[in-house]
Amino acid sequence: MDSYSRRMPVYLVLDTSASMVGEPIECVRQGIGALLADLRDDPQAMETVWIGVITFHSRAERVAPLTSLDRFRSPRIEAGGQSALGAALTLLEESLAEDLSRTNGGKRDWRPHVFVMTDGAPSDDWQPVAERIKTRYGDILVACAAGTDADHDLLAKLSPRIVDLSRLRPEDLRSFFQWVTAEIKQGVHGGGG
Amino acid sequence: MTGERGALWRWLPPPTAPDATPESASLAVQGNGCRVAAARIRGKQHRHNAVFCEDWFEAAAAGPWTIIAVADGAGSRPLSRVGARASCQAAIRSLTERLGNAGDGALADVLEAAARDARRAVEAAWAERQGDTVGDGQRPLVLGDFGATLLLAAYRPGCLGALQIGDGAILAAAPDDSVRAVTVPEGGDYAGETEFLTDADHLPPPVLDRAPIRHLLLTTDGIADIFLPAETGGQRLLAELRLNGVIGGDTAGGEAPVTIETIAGPEGERAIPVRYLAAYAEALGMPVESLAARSDLLNAGRRSDSTPPEVCLLEWLEGFTVRGAFDDRTLVLLTAVQP
């Protein structure tokens, strides 16, 4: 029977602005592929993890709606333009509201995980929506400061947890996606009793 | 277990350690105008990760009362299995001593006292291990390392008392099979977020319920969370139990389709036949919720051998497969002979 008991929603919110053009965006694509391959070897992840991807450049796009791990297909991701973090968080807020079934909705999902990778120089207003997400869902965001221009003080307002990816080298991006995979697995394995 | 996902699950024994808990258990209790079938299993997640079963249950007769305790040790607490067992055993001892022939009016006080005695038993288990450390010797044990939920019920015909600390469910089915939640689970917005006996600085008030019941169910979140919300989910749960021989009936036709689930075990793979309400509803061309309310059709589809209910329950807990449901599972079913 293929109905679900509990899901662990995971959102990747990825900066695909001009700073990511070239090798960095290719590394992001490969990183998502490696993340999927690794999680698909884990039966607990296979039964619970749902993934959604939002990218942002001059605007935000839901390039992959929240989908179960076995049905998820890597989205097409291109880089260029500005860094509309506020638009991405607005889209995330909408997605959370649409996707999550909470206790009073009948089922109990695991707490969602949201990984926001950004160069830390947003081109739009993002703080009000970040506050709303925090108020409604708690500290579910993990921020990744990507590149030397990332403003850590600004990111600290987004999330108490900041991962520093100081350079956009392929090995740094690979490490980031390995870290995200480990975080998701820790969440999956830490649940249950 | 279905398809590719099932092949990924392994069965690994729990580590060698003091306070080891058995892989599974079942129990039958009869008398006092009711019969009890109880079972628990180590969940797929714990089998895969070589972790102990952290659920526990106890059930017994105490004078005219039938008493039940169920606990779910927290996955994140290293000695939660000890807390779960100690609290259940202490609660049953306390209820047995305090209930005796006590009148219904004393029931609430007795349940509260049993919960306090359960907490004291967990504190004693902690005290016995003073000097022990966790995390490869990095820190001393704290009481919270024994964290577990606790569900208590005392029943005699015409009177039910219950108390719940944490998540899981205590459900009652009326003679017309409508299901109600007896207690309110203490949980957060998300799965795995709950209160424990060791954490609570309060005791939720006991609930007294004098409405007639046909069935009483106490279950940990490994089953309860599959069947939310309680009212409609509880009726589906009862229907699944009826189809799989846990709840009896006048007739047993064996007409429901059978799915063979393959479960990893210590001696290799095991095939367990399971009758699913949804598959039976599909075969009959009717909505699941409608079928769940039709005891005549459920009896016609029911498992038709003479396996005892507690064994049927154990097999169902092992075989019943829902994606994302891999916790330890415990269910205690009380069926009133005299409602």
Side-chain angles (χ1 to χ4, degrees), chain A residues 110-153:
Chain A
W110 298 108
R111 182 178 284 277
H113 286 49
V114 182
F115 300 93
V116 183
M117 188 181 80
T118 174
D119 64 6
S123 56
D124 63 355
D125 187 17
W126 58 274
Q127 294 197 40
V129 64
E131 278 299 319
R132 286 200 303 274
I133 291 172
K134 185 173 182 176
T135 301
R136 178 157 182 199
Y137 299 101
D139 285 322
I140 60 170
L141 269 56
V142 179
C144 171
T148 49
D149 294 337
D151 181 340
H152 283 67
D153 292 340

Side-chain angles (χ1 to χ4, degrees), chain B residues 14 19-24 40 52-56 81-82 85:
Chain B
D19 307 304
T21 49
E23 180 82 5
S24 62
R40 68 174 169 78
F52 293 102
C53 176
E54 290 160 345
D55 279 7
W56 199 266
R81 67 184 185 281
V82 177
R85 174 161 51 187

Side-chain angles (χ1 to χ4, degrees), chain B residues 106 116 168 248 286:
Chain B
R116 284 194 204 95
M286 63 191 298

Side-chain angles (χ1 to χ4, degrees), chain B residues 91-154:
Chain B
I92 289 292
R93 276 197 304 275
S94 175
L95 287 170
T96 302
E97 288 165 11
R98 293 173 189 274
L99 270 176
N101 288 310
D104 298 354
L107 188 53
D109 291 343
V110 168
L111 283 164
E112 279 189 356
R116 284 194 204 95
D117 288 340
R119 184 183 164 101
R120 274 192 283 273
V122 179
E123 289 168 347
W126 176 40
E128 283 169 17
R129 291 163 180 79
Q130 286 298 319
D132 288 3
T133 56
V134 290
D136 291 331
Q138 290 173 352
R139 66 167 176 83
L141 277 177
V142 295
L143 181 60
D145 290 328
F146 296 77
T149 65
L150 182 64
L151 285 67
L152 299 178

Side-chain angles (χ1 to χ4, degrees), chain B residues 65 103-107 155-161 180 207-213 339:
Chain B
W65 297 90
D104 298 354
L107 188 53
Y155 169 81
R156 69 178 184 187
C159 185
L160 166 67
R180 63 186 184 275
V207 173
L208 301 185
D209 189 334
R210 294 179 192 282
I213 65 165

Side-chain angles (χ1 to χ4, degrees), chain A residues 6 8 64 79 82-83 86 93 103 110 128 131 134 139 156 163 174 181 186 190 193:
Chain A
R6 298 162 171 165
M8 176 169 287
Q82 294 185 307
S83 186
E93 183 185 35
T103 313
W110 298 108
E131 278 299 319
K134 185 173 182 176
D139 285 322
V163 181
R174 266 197 298 277
T181 306
Q186 189 181 346

